């Protein structure tokens, strides 16, 4: 089941440059910076004051999914992460309903969160992440 929007992921060329805008100018509070090895990204998590965070994503390798996204589309919104409970069941349900999953089993996100992605081809070109703490 869904319990909210956990975060919106934004692909950026460099965190330093993006933080100048989102932290310094826009004024969002930087909560933490983490490397997510599996996704080959460095992530800056910014608080919006509510439940939903903004995550800035910087590729740490040319074969990172974020590097490929930047190449194709440039900087901008990369994904929407729905906070879920029971991620495995939900993934099975989505598969049954004909949605294409990027991962067959959950992957590891920030601080041990379980994450999975639905292929954007299935969902009107919007990459949707399931995120379970
Ligand atoms: Co995410």
């Amino acid at each position: 089941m869904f319990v909210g929007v956990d975060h919106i992921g934004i692909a950026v060329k460099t965190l330093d440059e993006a933080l100048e805008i989102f932290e310094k100018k826009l004024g969002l509070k930087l909560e933490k910076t983490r490397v997510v090895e599996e996704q080959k990204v460095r992530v800056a998590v910014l608080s919006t004051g509510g439940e939903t965070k903004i995550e800035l994503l910087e590729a740490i390798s040319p074969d990172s999914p974020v590097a490929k996204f930047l190449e194709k589309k440039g900087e901008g919104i990369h994904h929407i992460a729905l906070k879920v409970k029971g991620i495995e069941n939900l993934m099975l349900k989505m598969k049954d309903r004909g949605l294409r999953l990027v991962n067959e089993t959950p992957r590891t996100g920030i601080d041990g969160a379980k994450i999975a992605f639905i292929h954007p081809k299935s969902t009107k070109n919007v990459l949707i992440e399931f995120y379970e703490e």
Side-chain angles (χ1 to χ4, degrees), residues 3 19 32 34 43 52 58 62 68 77 82 91 96 102:
V3 288
L19 283 170
K32 57 192 172 188
R34 295 280 187 278
V43 184
T52 306
E58 173 194 78
K68 288 175 189 158
I77 292 181
L82 298 174
M91 288 170 76
D96 276 352
V102 174

Side-chain angles (χ1 to χ4, degrees), residues 2-133:
F2 298 111
V3 288
V5 175
D6 183 78
H7 63 269
I8 293 166
I10 299 174
V12 301
K13 285 181 192 152
T14 73
L15 286 190
D16 284 349
E17 190 207 8
L19 283 170
E20 280 298 319
I21 298 164
F22 285 87
E23 186 189 18
K24 301 278 158 55
K25 291 186 184 168
L26 200 55
L28 300 177
K29 188 174 171 283
L30 177 63
E31 281 188 351
K32 57 192 172 188
T33 309
R34 295 280 187 278
V35 168
V36 182
E37 292 290 348
E38 264 199 40
Q39 303 296 324
K40 297 176 182 159
V41 287
R42 202 156 69 95
V43 184
V45 180
L46 296 155
S47 169
T48 64
E51 297 259 315
T52 306
K53 288 154 277 177
I54 301 267
E55 290 192 1
L56 303 174
L57 314 163
E58 173 194 78
I60 54 169
S61 155
D63 64 342
S64 163
V66 166
K68 288 175 189 158
F69 179 91
L70 286 170
E71 237 171 68
K72 262 200 220 162
K73 301 193 170 165
E75 294 177 298
I77 292 181
H78 179 261
H79 66 272
I80 295 173
L82 298 174
K83 197 177 217 173
V84 307
K85 288 200 170 118
I87 192 167
E88 286 90 354
N89 280 336
L90 207 52
M91 288 170 76
L92 287 174
K93 205 186 268 181
M94 296 305 137
K95 213 178 152 182
D96 276 352
R97 291 175 185 174
L99 293 183
R100 184 167 147 206
L101 304 176
V102 174
N103 320 107
E104 287 297 310
T105 54
R107 299 290 188 253
T108 307
I110 286 184
D111 297 338
K114 286 190 203 174
I115 61 171
F117 290 94
I118 299 180
H119 198 284
K121 287 249 152 65
S122 290
T123 44
K124 297 291 180 191
N125 297 322
V126 177
L127 178 62
I128 292 176
E129 175 184 356
F130 290 166
Y131 178 100
E132 182 164 36
E133 276 173 333

